[in-house]
Coordinates of all heavy atoms in Angstrom, one line a residue:
M188 N 107.3 109.5 137.1 CA 106.9 109.8 135.8 C 106.7 108.6 134.9 O 107.4 107.7 134.9 CB 107.8 110.8 135.1 CG 107.2 111.5 133.9 SD 106.9 113.1 133.9 CE 108.4 113.9 134.3
A189 N 105.5 108.5 134.3 CA 105.3 107.3 133.2 C 106.0 107.6 132.0 O 106.3 108.7 131.5 CB 103.8 107.2 133.1
L190 N 106.2 106.5 131.2 CA 106.8 106.6 129.9 C 105.7 106.1 128.9 O 105.0 105.1 129.1 CB 107.9 105.6 129.9 CG 108.8 105.6 128.7 CD1 109.5 107.0 128.6 CD2 110.0 104.5 128.9
F191 N 105.6 106.9 127.8 CA 104.6 106.6 126.7 C 105.4 106.5 125.4 O 106.3 107.4 125.2 CB 103.5 107.7 126.7 CG 102.7 107.7 127.9 CD1 103.2 108.6 129.0 CD2 101.6 106.9 128.2 CE1 102.4 108.6 130.2 CE2 100.9 107.0 129.3 CZ 101.3 107.9 130.3
M192 N 104.8 105.7 124.5 CA 105.1 105.8 123.0 C 103.9 106.2 122.2 O 102.9 105.6 122.3 CB 105.7 104.5 122.5 CG 106.0 104.4 121.1 SD 107.6 105.3 120.7 CE 108.9 104.2 121.5
D193 N 104.1 107.3 121.5 CA 103.0 107.7 120.6 C 103.2 107.4 119.2 O 104.4 107.3 118.8 CB 102.5 109.0 120.8 CG 103.4 110.1 120.4 OD1 104.1 110.0 119.4 OD2 103.2 111.3 120.8
A194 N 102.2 107.2 118.4 CA 102.3 106.9 116.9 C 101.5 107.8 116.2 O 100.3 108.1 116.5 CB 101.9 105.4 116.7
H195 N 102.1 108.4 115.1 CA 101.3 109.3 114.1 C 101.5 108.6 112.8 O 102.4 108.1 112.4 CB 102.1 110.6 114.1 CG 102.2 111.4 115.4 ND1 101.4 112.5 115.8 CD2 103.1 111.2 116.4 CE1 101.9 112.9 116.9 NE2 102.9 112.2 117.3
T196 N 100.4 108.8 111.9 CA 100.4 108.6 110.6 C 100.1 109.7 109.8 O 99.0 110.3 110.0 CB 99.5 107.4 110.2 OG1 99.8 106.3 111.0 CG2 99.5 107.1 108.8
I197 N 101.0 110.2 108.9 CA 100.8 111.3 108.0 C 100.6 110.9 106.6 O 101.5 110.3 105.9 CB 101.9 112.3 108.0 CG1 102.3 112.7 109.5 CG2 101.7 113.6 107.3 CD1 101.2 113.4 110.4
E198 N 99.4 111.0 106.1 CA 99.1 110.5 104.7 C 99.9 111.3 103.7 O 100.1 112.4 103.8 CB 97.6 110.8 104.4 CG 96.6 109.9 105.2 CD 96.8 108.5 105.0 OE1 97.0 108.0 103.9 OE2 96.7 107.7 106.1
G199 N 100.5 110.4 102.8 CA 101.4 111.1 101.7 C 102.8 111.1 102.2 O 103.6 111.6 101.3
G200 N 103.2 110.7 103.4 CA 104.6 110.8 103.9 C 104.9 112.1 104.6 O 104.0 113.0 104.7
V201 N 106.0 112.1 105.2 CA 106.5 113.2 105.9 C 108.1 113.4 105.9 O 108.7 112.4 105.6 CB 106.1 113.0 107.4 CG1 106.8 111.7 108.1 CG2 106.2 114.2 108.3
S202 N 108.6 114.7 105.9 CA 109.9 114.9 105.9 C 110.5 114.8 107.3 O 109.9 115.3 108.2 CB 110.2 116.1 105.1 OG 109.9 117.1 105.9
A203 N 111.7 114.3 107.3 CA 112.4 114.3 108.6 C 112.6 115.7 109.1 O 112.6 115.9 110.3 CB 113.7 113.6 108.5
S204 N 112.9 116.6 108.2 CA 113.0 118.0 108.7 C 111.8 118.5 109.2 O 112.0 119.3 110.2 CB 113.6 118.9 107.6 OG 112.6 118.9 106.4
D205 N 110.6 118.3 108.7 CA 109.4 118.7 109.4 C 109.1 118.2 110.6 O 108.7 118.8 111.6 CB 108.2 118.5 108.4 CG 108.1 119.4 107.2 OD1 108.9 120.3 107.1 OD2 107.3 119.0 106.3
V206 N 109.5 116.8 110.9 CA 109.3 116.2 112.2 C 110.4 116.9 113.2 O 110.1 117.0 114.3 CB 109.6 114.7 112.0 CG1 109.4 114.0 113.5 CG2 108.5 114.1 111.1
A207 N 111.6 117.2 112.9 CA 112.5 117.7 113.5 C 112.0 119.1 114.1 O 112.2 119.4 115.3 CB 113.8 117.9 112.8
S208 N 111.4 119.9 113.2 CA 110.8 121.2 113.6 C 109.7 121.0 114.7 O 109.6 121.8 115.6 CB 110.3 121.9 112.3 OG 111.4 122.3 111.6
A209 N 108.8 120.0 114.4 CA 107.7 119.8 115.4 C 108.3 119.3 116.7 O 107.7 119.7 117.7 CB 106.8 118.7 114.7
H210 N 109.4 118.6 116.7 CA 110.0 118.1 118.0 C 110.5 119.3 118.7 O 110.4 119.4 120.0 CB 111.0 117.1 117.7 CG 111.7 116.5 118.9 ND1 111.2 115.8 119.8 CD2 113.0 116.8 119.3 CE1 112.0 115.4 120.8 NE2 113.0 116.1 120.6
Q211 N 111.1 120.2 118.0 CA 111.7 121.3 118.7 C 110.5 122.2 119.2 O 110.7 122.7 120.4 CB 112.4 122.3 117.7 CG 113.8 121.7 117.3 CD 114.6 121.4 118.6 OE1 114.8 122.2 119.3 NE2 115.1 120.1 118.6
A212 N 109.4 122.3 118.6 CA 108.2 123.0 119.2 C 107.8 122.2 120.4 O 107.3 122.9 121.3 CB 107.0 123.1 118.1
D213 N 107.7 120.9 120.5 CA 107.4 120.2 121.6 C 108.4 120.6 122.8 O 107.8 120.7 123.9 CB 107.5 118.8 121.3 CG 106.4 118.1 120.5 OD1 105.3 118.6 120.4 OD2 106.7 117.1 119.7
L214 N 109.6 120.6 122.4 CA 110.6 120.9 123.6 C 110.4 122.3 124.1 O 110.4 122.6 125.3 CB 112.0 120.7 122.9 CG 112.4 119.4 122.6 CD1 113.8 119.4 122.1 CD2 112.3 118.3 123.6
A215 N 109.9 123.1 123.2 CA 109.7 124.6 123.7 C 108.4 124.6 124.5 O 108.2 125.7 125.3 CB 109.7 125.6 122.4
T216 N 107.6 123.7 124.4 CA 106.1 123.8 124.9 C 105.9 122.9 126.2 O 105.1 123.1 127.1 CB 105.1 123.4 123.9 OG1 105.3 124.2 122.8 CG2 103.7 123.5 124.4
Q217 N 106.8 121.9 126.3 CA 106.5 120.8 127.3 C 106.8 121.1 128.8 O 106.0 120.6 129.7 CB 107.5 119.6 127.0 CG 109.0 119.8 127.2 CD 110.0 118.7 126.7 OE1 109.5 117.8 126.1 NE2 111.2 119.0 127.0
G218 N 107.6 122.0 129.0 CA 107.9 122.4 130.5 C 106.7 122.7 131.4 O 106.5 122.0 132.5
P219 N 105.8 123.5 131.0 CA 104.7 123.8 131.9 C 103.7 122.7 132.2 O 103.0 122.6 133.3 CB 103.9 124.9 131.2 CG 104.9 125.5 130.4 CD 105.9 124.5 130.0
H220 N 103.9 121.5 131.4 CA 103.0 120.5 131.4 C 103.7 119.3 132.2 O 103.0 118.2 132.2 CB 102.6 120.0 130.0 CG 101.8 121.1 129.2 ND1 100.6 121.4 129.6 CD2 102.2 121.9 128.3 CE1 100.1 122.4 128.8 NE2 101.1 122.8 128.0
G221 N 104.9 119.5 132.6 CA 105.6 118.4 133.3 C 105.8 117.2 132.5 O 105.9 116.0 132.8
V222 N 106.1 117.4 131.1 CA 106.4 116.5 130.1 C 107.8 116.6 129.6 O 108.4 117.7 129.5 CB 105.3 116.7 129.0 CG1 105.7 115.9 127.7 CG2 103.9 116.4 129.4
N223 N 108.5 115.4 129.1 CA 109.7 115.5 128.6 C 109.7 114.6 127.4 O 109.8 113.4 127.4 CB 110.7 114.9 129.6 CG 112.1 114.9 129.0 OD1 112.5 115.6 128.2 ND2 112.9 113.9 129.5
Y224 N 109.6 115.3 126.1 CA 109.8 114.5 124.9 C 111.2 114.0 124.8 O 112.1 114.9 124.6 CB 109.3 115.2 123.8 CG 107.8 115.0 123.6 CD1 106.9 115.8 124.2 CD2 107.3 114.0 122.8 CE1 105.5 115.6 124.0 CE2 105.8 113.7 122.6 CZ 105.0 114.5 123.2 OH 103.8 114.4 123.2
V225 N 111.5 112.7 124.7 CA 112.8 112.1 124.8 C 113.4 112.0 123.5 O 114.7 112.3 123.3 CB 112.8 110.8 125.7 CG1 114.2 110.1 125.7 CG2 112.3 110.9 127.1
R226 N 112.8 111.2 122.6 CA 113.4 110.8 121.4 C 112.1 110.6 120.3 O 111.0 110.3 120.8 CB 114.1 109.6 121.6 CG 114.6 108.8 120.3 CD 115.5 107.7 120.7 NE 116.8 108.4 120.7 CZ 117.8 108.0 121.5 NH1 117.6 107.3 122.6 NH2 119.0 108.5 121.4
Y227 N 112.5 110.6 119.0 CA 111.5 110.3 118.1 C 112.1 109.5 116.9 O 113.3 109.5 116.7 CB 110.8 111.6 117.6 CG 111.7 112.5 116.8 CD1 111.8 112.4 115.5 CD2 112.3 113.5 117.5 CE1 112.7 113.2 114.7 CE2 113.2 114.3 116.8 CZ 113.4 114.2 115.4 OH 114.2 115.0 114.8
W228 N 111.2 108.8 116.2 CA 111.7 107.9 115.0 C 110.7 108.4 113.8 O 109.6 108.6 114.1 CB 111.6 106.5 115.3 CG 112.6 106.0 116.4 CD1 113.8 105.5 116.1 CD2 112.3 106.1 117.8 NE1 114.4 105.1 117.4 CE2 113.5 105.6 118.4 CE3 111.4 106.4 118.6 CZ2 113.7 105.4 119.8 CZ3 111.4 106.5 120.0 CH2 112.6 105.9 120.6
V229 N 111.2 108.4 112.6 CA 110.5 108.7 111.4 C 110.7 107.7 110.3 O 111.9 107.3 110.1 CB 110.9 110.1 111.0 CG1 110.0 110.5 109.7 CG2 111.0 111.1 112.0
D230 N 109.6 107.3 109.7 CA 109.6 106.6 108.4 C 109.0 107.5 107.4 O 107.8 107.7 107.4 CB 108.9 105.3 108.6 CG 108.8 104.5 107.3 OD1 109.0 105.1 106.2 OD2 108.6 103.2 107.3
E231 N 109.8 108.3 106.6 CA 109.5 109.4 105.8 C 108.4 108.7 104.8 O 107.3 109.4 104.6 CB 110.6 110.0 105.2 CG 111.4 110.8 106.0 CD 112.6 111.5 105.4 OE1 113.6 110.7 105.0 OE2 112.6 112.7 105.2
A232 N 108.7 107.7 104.1 CA 107.9 107.3 103.0 C 106.4 106.7 103.5 O 105.5 107.1 102.9 CB 108.5 106.1 102.4
A233 N 106.4 106.1 104.6 CA 105.3 105.6 105.2 C 104.5 106.7 106.0 O 103.3 106.4 106.2 CB 105.5 104.4 106.1
G234 N 105.1 107.8 106.2 CA 104.4 108.9 107.0 C 104.2 108.5 108.4 O 103.3 108.9 109.1
K235 N 105.1 107.6 109.0 CA 105.1 107.3 110.4 C 106.0 108.0 111.2 O 107.1 108.1 110.9 CB 105.3 105.7 110.6 CG 104.4 104.8 109.7 CD 103.0 104.8 110.5 CE 102.0 103.7 109.9 NZ 100.8 103.7 110.6
I236 N 105.5 108.4 112.5 CA 106.3 109.0 113.5 C 106.0 108.4 114.8 O 104.8 108.1 115.2 CB 105.9 110.5 113.5 CG1 106.1 111.2 112.1 CG2 106.9 111.3 114.5 CD1 105.4 112.6 112.0
F237 N 107.1 108.1 115.5 CA 107.0 107.5 116.8 C 107.8 108.5 117.9 O 108.8 108.7 117.5 CB 107.6 106.1 116.9 CG 106.9 105.3 115.9 CD1 107.4 105.0 114.6 CD2 105.7 104.5 116.2 CE1 106.8 104.2 113.8 CE2 105.1 103.8 115.3 CZ 105.7 103.6 114.1
C238 N 107.0 108.9 118.9 CA 107.7 109.6 119.9 C 107.7 109.0 121.3 O 106.7 108.3 121.7 CB 106.8 110.9 120.1 SG 106.6 112.0 118.5
L239 N 108.8 109.1 121.9 CA 109.1 108.5 123.3 C 108.9 109.7 124.2 O 109.7 110.7 124.1 CB 110.3 107.7 123.5 CG 110.6 107.2 124.8 CD1 109.5 106.0 125.1 CD2 112.0 106.5 124.8
V240 N 108.1 109.6 125.2 CA 107.9 110.7 126.1 C 107.5 110.3 127.6 O 107.0 109.3 127.7 CB 106.6 111.6 125.6 CG1 105.4 110.6 125.4 CG2 106.3 112.8 126.4
E241 N 108.2 111.1 128.5 CA 107.9 111.0 129.9 C 106.8 112.0 130.2 O 107.0 113.2 129.9 CB 109.2 111.2 130.7 CG 110.3 110.3 130.4 CD 111.5 110.7 131.1 OE1 111.8 111.9 131.2 OE2 112.2 109.8 131.5
A242 N 105.8 111.6 130.8 CA 104.7 112.4 131.2 C 103.9 112.0 132.3 O 103.9 110.8 132.6 CB 103.7 112.5 130.0
P243 N 103.2 112.8 133.0 CA 102.4 112.4 134.2 C 101.3 111.5 133.7 O 100.8 110.6 134.3 CB 101.8 113.6 134.8 CG 102.3 114.7 134.0 CD 103.2 114.2 132.8
D244 N 100.7 111.7 132.5 CA 99.7 110.9 131.9 C 99.8 111.1 130.3 O 100.3 111.9 129.9 CB 98.4 111.1 132.5 CG 97.9 112.6 132.5 OD1 98.1 113.2 131.4 OD2 97.5 113.1 133.5
A245 N 98.9 110.2 129.7 CA 98.8 110.3 128.2 C 98.2 111.7 127.8 O 98.7 112.3 126.6 CB 98.0 109.2 127.6
E246 N 97.3 112.2 128.4 CA 96.6 113.4 128.1 C 97.6 114.6 128.1 O 97.5 115.5 127.3 CB 95.5 113.8 129.0 CG 94.7 115.0 128.5 CD 94.2 115.0 127.0 OE1 93.9 114.0 126.4 OE2 94.3 116.1 126.4
A247 N 98.5 114.6 129.1 CA 99.6 115.7 129.1 C 100.4 115.6 127.8 O 100.7 116.6 127.3 CB 100.4 115.6 130.5
A248 N 100.9 114.4 127.6 CA 101.7 114.2 126.4 C 100.9 114.8 125.1 O 101.5 115.5 124.3 CB 102.1 112.8 126.1
A249 N 99.6 114.4 124.9 CA 98.8 115.0 123.8 C 98.7 116.4 123.8 O 98.6 117.0 122.8 CB 97.5 114.1 124.0
T250 N 98.6 117.0 125.0 CA 98.3 118.4 125.2 C 99.5 119.2 124.6 O 99.4 120.2 123.9 CB 98.1 118.8 126.5 OG1 96.8 118.2 127.0 CG2 97.9 120.4 126.9
V251 N 100.7 118.7 124.9 CA 102.0 119.3 124.3 C 102.0 119.3 122.8 O 102.2 120.3 122.2 CB 103.3 118.6 124.9 CG1 104.5 119.2 124.2 CG2 103.3 118.9 126.4
H252 N 101.7 118.2 122.2 CA 101.7 118.0 120.7 C 100.5 119.1 120.2 O 100.8 119.8 119.3 CB 101.2 116.7 120.3 CG 102.3 115.7 120.1 ND1 103.6 116.1 120.0 CD2 102.4 114.5 120.1 CE1 104.5 115.1 119.9 NE2 103.7 114.0 119.9
R253 N 99.4 119.1 120.9 CA 98.3 119.9 120.4 C 98.7 121.4 120.4 O 98.5 122.2 119.5 CB 97.0 119.6 121.2 CG 95.8 120.4 120.7 CD 94.5 120.0 121.6 NE 94.3 118.6 121.7 CZ 94.6 117.8 123.0 NH1 94.9 118.5 123.9 NH2 94.4 116.6 122.9
E254 N 99.4 121.8 121.6 CA 99.7 123.3 121.6 C 100.9 123.6 120.8 O 100.9 124.6 120.3 CB 100.0 123.6 123.1 CG 98.7 123.6 124.0 CD 99.0 123.9 125.5 OE1 100.1 124.3 125.7 OE2 98.1 123.9 126.2
A255 N 101.8 122.6 120.7 CA 103.2 122.9 120.0 C 102.9 123.1 118.5 O 103.4 123.8 117.8 CB 104.2 121.9 120.3
H256 N 102.1 122.1 117.9 CA 102.0 122.1 116.4 C 100.8 121.5 115.8 O 100.5 121.5 114.7 CB 103.2 121.4 115.9 CG 103.5 120.1 116.5 ND1 102.6 118.9 116.4 CD2 104.6 119.8 117.3 CE1 103.1 118.1 117.3 NE2 104.3 118.4 117.8
G257 N 99.9 121.0 116.8 CA 98.6 120.5 116.4 C 98.5 119.1 115.8 O 97.5 118.5 115.5
L258 N 99.8 118.4 115.9 CA 99.8 117.0 115.3 C 99.7 116.0 116.4 O 100.6 115.4 116.9 CB 101.1 116.7 114.5 CG 101.4 117.7 113.3 CD1 102.9 117.4 112.8 CD2 100.4 117.3 112.3
V259 N 98.4 115.8 116.8 CA 98.1 114.9 118.0 C 98.3 113.5 117.4 O 97.9 113.1 116.3 CB 96.7 115.1 118.5 CG1 96.4 114.2 119.7 CG2 96.6 116.6 119.0
A260 N 98.8 112.6 118.2 CA 99.1 111.3 117.9 C 97.8 110.5 117.7 O 96.7 110.8 118.3 CB 99.9 110.6 119.1
D261 N 97.8 109.5 116.7 CA 96.7 108.5 116.5 C 96.6 107.6 117.7 O 95.4 107.3 118.0 CB 97.0 107.8 115.3 CG 97.1 108.8 114.0 OD1 96.2 109.6 113.8 OD2 98.1 108.6 113.2
E262 N 97.6 107.2 118.3 CA 97.6 106.2 119.4 C 98.7 106.6 120.4 O 99.8 107.1 120.0 CB 97.9 104.9 118.8 CG 96.8 104.4 117.8 CD 97.3 103.1 117.2 OE1 98.3 103.1 116.6 OE2 96.5 102.1 117.3
I263 N 98.5 106.3 121.7 CA 99.5 106.5 122.7 C 99.5 105.3 123.6 O 98.4 104.9 124.1 CB 99.1 107.8 123.5 CG1 99.2 109.1 122.7 CG2 100.3 108.0 124.6 CD1 98.7 110.4 123.5
Y264 N 100.6 104.6 123.8 CA 100.7 103.5 124.5 C 101.6 103.7 125.8 O 102.8 104.4 125.7 CB 101.5 102.3 123.7 CG 100.7 102.2 122.5 CD1 101.1 102.6 121.3 CD2 99.6 101.2 122.5 CE1 100.5 102.3 120.1 CE2 99.0 100.9 121.3 CZ 99.4 101.5 120.1 OH 98.8 101.1 118.9
S265 N 101.1 103.3 126.9 CA 102.1 103.2 128.1 C 103.1 102.1 128.0 O 102.7 101.0 127.6 CB 101.2 102.9 129.3 OG 101.9 102.9 130.4
V266 N 104.3 102.4 128.1 CA 105.4 101.4 127.8 C 106.4 101.5 129.1 O 106.5 102.3 129.8 CB 106.2 101.8 126.6 CG1 105.3 101.6 125.4 CG2 106.9 103.1 126.6
T267 N 107.1 100.2 129.1 CA 108.1 100.0 130.1 C 109.5 99.8 129.3 O 109.5 99.0 128.2 CB 107.9 98.8 131.0 OG1 106.6 99.0 131.5 CG2 109.0 98.6 132.0
E268 N 110.5 100.5 129.6 CA 111.7 100.4 128.9 C 112.4 99.1 129.3 O 112.6 98.8 130.5 CB 112.6 101.6 129.2 CG 113.8 101.7 128.4 CD 114.6 103.0 128.4 OE1 114.2 103.9 129.4 OE2 115.6 103.2 127.8
G269 N 113.0 98.5 128.3 CA 113.8 97.3 128.5 C 115.1 97.5 127.9 O 115.4 98.4 127.2
A270 N 116.0 96.5 128.1 CA 117.3 96.4 127.6 C 117.5 95.5 126.4 O 116.7 94.6 126.2 CB 118.4 96.2 128.6

């Protein structure tokens, strides 16, 4: 399974609680797509959200976001984990 980092920008900022709710929706939706949303980071004031996801491909990761809550990432990067 490949590893991806996606990036979202929400104009006007975003609350951590809203992102937590969206993440829960991702977790409830991911199974049939073979996706595993692992972790996320939020900069509330800047409206930045970053999600780490294991997925067969970037489109599968985007599909989960689209179906779960509609907040599709602005960018998705294939990444390799380091220490």
